[in-house]
Amino acid sequence: MTDEELDLSRLRPVLPSPLRPAEDERFARRGVTLLLKRDDLIHPDLPGNKWRKLALNLRAAAGRTVLTFGGAYSNHLRATAAAGRLLGFPTVGVVRGDELAARPLNPSLARCAADGMRLHFVDRATYRAKATPGVLDGLLSLFGECVVIPEGGSNALAAQGCTELGRELLGRTGTVAVACGTGGTLAGLAAGLGHGQRALGIPVLRGGFLGAAVRDLQREAFGAPTGQWSLDERFHFGGYARTTPELHAFADDFEDRHGLPVERLYVAKLLYGLTVLAGEGAFAPGSTVTAVVTGRPEPPGA
C-alpha cells in the first residue's frame, strides 16, 4: 500500500469541526459564554479525538498491520477497526480479560470483528504489563510485524495530531475543556492553543496519575511540557465506565436544553464538571468557555 492509498483525506473528514454556541442560563447568569466544539461530527466512524489521535499514527503505519489495546467496550478499538476497514489495512485488538474469549462477543467487540479486526484476549495481569518488552515481543512473535499503538491511542504522534484542535480555536475562546482518559488529547490541545488561552482536563478515571502522563506525552511529542493546562479530578463519578443516576439526569436535561446527544462516559462528565465550575465562579464574567464534544452515544443495540 502506498502513502497515497492511505490518504485519510479521501474519507472526507469535517475539519475544522463546527463550533456552536450553547445558550445556557447556568453559564449566562455568571456572564460566561458556552461554546460546543463538535468534534463528534468529524467522521461517522472515527469521531472526535479518535480521528485526531489516529490520523498521524495511521499515516506513519503506511498500510502495515496495526496492533493496539483496549477493554471490552473500547471506543479506540472500534475506531481503529473501522479505519482498517475503510483504508484497507489489517488490525489486531488485544483485549483485556481472557474470560471474554469463551463468551459471545458484546456489540462493541462484534463490530470490531465485523470490521476485520483480529481479537486477542489476554488476562488482566498480562494486560497491565502490555508495554513491557516481554509482552510486546510475545505479541509480535504471534502476529508478525506490526505497528503498535498504545491503549487509547495516546502517544507522541497522537498528541501532535491533537494540536490542530487547539489551532482551530485560536482567538475563539479563553478556556477549552476536554474529558480525559489517557491524556493524549489534552497534551496536544494545550500545545496548540495560543497565548492567554488555557486547556482544562476533566479526567474520567480515578487515580491521580493523569498529570504525570500528560507531562510525559508532551515531553515525548514536543520536547518539554508546554501550554497552559490543568486538571479537575472531581467529576469521574467513580471511575471509567461508571455513572450515577445524577449524571444520567444531568445528561438527559442537557440533551433537552440543547438538542445535543450526550455520550455518558466522557462528554456527560465534562459538561457536568463545567456546569459545577460555572456555578462556583471558576470562570470570569465576560469569558468564553468551550467544551470539546469528543464522541456521541452509541445507538441502541450497537
Side-chain angles (χ1 to χ4, degrees), residues 128-251:
R128 285 193 296 271
K130 59 188 174 295
T132 63
V135 172
L136 284 175
D137 288 348
L139 290 170
L140 295 178
S141 175
L142 183 62
F143 293 106
E145 181 185 358
C146 298
V147 174
V148 177
I149 298 176
E151 181 181 35
S154 288
N155 58 11
L157 287 174
Q160 291 165 8
C162 289
T163 60
E164 193 61 28
L165 172 59
R167 295 189 187 109
E168 290 176 16
L169 291 165
L170 287 173
R172 309 291 297 276
T173 185
T175 299
V176 186
V178 63
C180 300
T182 50
T185 304
L186 179 63
L189 165 63
L193 292 172
H195 179 72
Q197 294 180 297
R198 69 182 181 103
L200 171 63
I202 304 294
V204 302
L205 290 81
R206 294 184 298 173
F209 63 89
L210 199 60
V214 172
R215 287 188 289 272
D216 287 345
L217 280 166
Q218 289 193 328
R219 276 189 283 266
E220 185 181 357
F222 312 115
T226 184
Q228 298 296 315
W229 60 270
S230 62
L231 298 169
D232 192 319
E233 307 204 27
R234 294 180 289 163
F235 306 111
H236 53 69
F237 284 85
Y240 180 69
R242 295 189 178 182
T243 59
T244 67
E246 179 186 13
L247 182 67
H248 283 286
F250 169 84

Side-chain angles (χ1 to χ4, degrees), residues 27-33 278 280-289:
F27 292 81
R29 73 169 67 107
R30 298 281 181 166
V32 177
T33 298
E280 293 174 348
F283 309 118
S287 63
T288 299
V289 175

